[in-house]
Amino acid sequence: NAGVTQTPKFRVLKTGQSMTLLCAQDMNHEYMYWYRQDPGMGLRLIHYSVGEGTTAKGEVPDGYNVSRLKKQNFLLGLESAAPSQTSVYFCASSSGPSPQHFGDGTRLSIL
Amino acid sequence: QQPVQSPQAVILREGEDAVINCSSSKALYSVHWYRQKHGEAPVFLMILLKGGEQKGHDKISASFNEKKQQSSLYLTASQLSYSGTYFCGIHSGNTPLVFGKGTRLSVIA
């Protein structure tokens, strides 16, 4: 059972570069989420989606964009990476507002 | 509004008990509890859907006091495997889950 798969697991970027993080789930969940986790800050919601073709802003959306073209995939994009975006990024999915299943995370460093 | 968790960190010896509190300034519709071990993803523990509800999972249980707008997680007879960071997440109305900053629990032999 794959569950929620995030790629890549690690990445180092230079300031100003762009990249896309991919999240894929095989549980047929409607809801998908992107969080960032920084030391002492807990999990903060970046963007989320309640179904294919829909997206909405979370608590800390600035500097990020998302797309949900297919139900099973949720992409997180950084158009022009900044050092402040160095973090661990988690994707999660759920069947409605119910328990969330998390991926293993992507560790992103921006120099 | 992010819920407030207390304490921020706690160290226990095996067999001791602990309580982690989660409080909100807004009315709560449901409370989720997750545990995250170092370097791993958060894992769901339990959800409480209504005031007065109590749930248990092995020797870990939780309560939900709707009037006080808070939930508590109880860890009984702690084991080394209980070590990790515990997060509460709250639903207040038709909004996404909002997580607290976490409580770091260390269980030592």
Side-chain angles (χ1 to χ4, degrees):
Chain A
N1 294 331
V4 178
T5 303
Q6 292 183 231
T7 53
K9 297 190 185 305
F10 304 94
R11 185 74 183 268
V12 178
L13 289 179
K14 294 182 178 180
T15 298
Q17 287 185 318
S18 63
M19 78 162 296
T20 300
L21 307 184
L22 171 64
C23 177
Q25 54 96 2
D26 62 1
M27 296 173 282
N28 201 35
H29 284 166
E30 289 292 334
Y31 289 40
M32 295 188 75
Y33 315 83
W34 275 107
Y35 294 92
R36 61 176 290 173
Q37 186 173 38
D38 303 294
M41 299 298 291
L43 293 154
R44 293 184 293 170
L45 185 63
I46 304 171
H47 287 280
Y48 65 102
S49 168
V50 299
E52 181 179 318
T54 73
T55 63
K57 293 181 180 180
E59 180 187 357
V60 288
D62 293 343
Y64 305 94
N65 57 74
V66 288
S67 64
R68 182 100 181 267
L69 298 179
K70 293 182 178 181
K71 185 177 183 178
Q72 63 268 34
N73 296 336
F74 196 28
L75 306 179
L76 178 70
L78 287 75
E79 290 187 346
S80 179
S84 61
Q85 294 176 306
T86 292
S87 188
V88 180
Y89 291 85
F90 285 101
C91 175
S93 71
S94 67
S95 176
S98 60
Q100 296 182 17
H101 299 258
F102 285 81
D104 289 336
T106 295
R107 284 151 183 78
L108 182 62
S109 294
I110 299 163
L111 307 177
Chain B
Q1 276 75 356
Q2 195 171 31
V4 177
Q5 288 187 234
S6 63
Q8 291 183 334
V10 59
I11 300 174
L12 299 175
R13 292 196 179 276
E14 275 187 294
E16 292 183 337
D17 302 339
V19 180
I20 299 171
N21 297 306
C22 174
S23 62
S24 171
S25 59
K26 283 188 165 186
L28 299 179
Y29 285 75
S30 67
V31 180
H32 298 215
W33 285 97
Y34 291 77
R35 177 172 62 203
Q36 183 180 30
K37 293 185 178 290
H38 183 69
E40 298 182 6
V43 174
F44 171 76
L45 292 176
M46 64 190 76
I47 180 173
L48 299 106
L49 296 174
K50 57 184 178 181
E53 185 171 18
Q54 296 189 18
K55 280 193 174 180
H57 175 70
D58 193 9
K59 292 182 179 178
I60 300 175
S61 61
S63 64
F64 179 12
N65 188 322
E66 194 174 25
K67 288 185 178 180
K68 292 185 177 180
Q69 297 175 184
Q70 69 180 32
S71 176
S72 297
L73 186 72
Y74 307 92
L75 298 101
T76 306
S78 59
Q79 307 167 15
L80 294 174
S81 62
Y82 286 2
S83 293
T85 300
Y86 290 78
F87 293 98
C88 67
I90 62 170
H91 273 299
S92 298
N94 191 23
T95 57
L97 201 63
V98 180
F99 286 95
K101 292 184 178 181
T103 295
R104 181 175 294 178
L105 179 73
S106 300
V107 181
I108 58 176

